[in-house]
Amino acid sequence: MEDRPQIGYSKKVMDHFMNPRNVGDFADPDGVGTVGNPVCGDLMQVSIKVEDDVITDVRFKTFGCGSAIATASMVTEMAKGKTIEEAERITRSDVADELEGLPPVKMHCSNLAADALHKAIEDYRARKKEVAAAPG
């Protein structure tokens, strides 16, 4: 098999699609981000566990195409072990680059993965503020 199968996906994309990492969610997440693309119908959720501002675990659930599954799997691998600030700097193009590219028509999938991670971080920060502001 050559580096890029005829259908236009890299081996890394195919690996993360066929063997997705970190699928699922947590009973008590520290942050959850959900995003969707109404044009293609993809829906993605990323949940994070955080200790001392480090993402110790991250999971995803997605309803979408193979590229959506692969990008969600990749973003969880990229974020795990990073500080909140480091994970927040993961961009849409970083996800696609780590997967060794996506067909142009599928680039929106890398957008969903990075955006869901950023939403989970926003949710984590909002929850943290609520706890800090709670009386007593």
Side-chain angles (χ1 to χ4, degrees):
M1 181 186 237
E2 60 187 64
D3 283 346
R4 188 167 297 276
Q6 199 161 15
I7 56 175
Y9 294 102
S10 71
K11 285 182 179 181
K12 264 192 173 177
V13 170
M14 294 304 294
D15 180 41
H16 277 268
F17 166 62
M18 299 298 288
N19 306 291
R21 284 71 152 171
N22 309 306
V23 176
D25 54 16
F26 303 106
D28 189 23
D30 294 315
V32 178
T34 304
V35 296
N37 183 324
V39 174
C40 69
D42 289 349
L43 182 65
M44 192 175 295
Q45 180 181 58
V46 171
S47 303
I48 57 175
K49 283 286 200 182
V50 182
E51 290 178 29
D52 299 321
D53 271 355
V54 173
I55 297 176
T56 57
D57 206 354
V58 57
R59 306 259 176 96
F60 81 92
K61 294 194 299 188
T62 192
F63 181 82
C65 66
S67 294
I69 293 165
T71 57
S73 175
M74 179 55 80
V75 87
T76 63
E77 290 287 287
M78 293 171 72
K80 195 180 289 187
K82 293 212 176 349
T83 66
I84 288 295
E85 291 75 24
E86 290 168 335
E88 198 168 40
R89 289 193 297 267
I90 295 172
T91 66
R92 297 166 169 184
S93 61
D94 290 340
V95 177
D97 290 347
E98 279 296 314
L99 286 168
E100 299 171 353
L102 287 167
V105 71
K106 293 297 182 178
M107 283 302 291
H108 68 274
C109 297
S110 66
N111 297 351
L112 283 181
D115 292 352
L117 173 63
H118 297 157
K119 291 270 187 195
I121 291 169
E122 285 175 28
D123 184 48
Y124 163 71
R125 285 191 169 133
R127 291 178 189 211
K128 197 172 161 184
K129 278 184 186 174
E130 286 175 15
V131 170

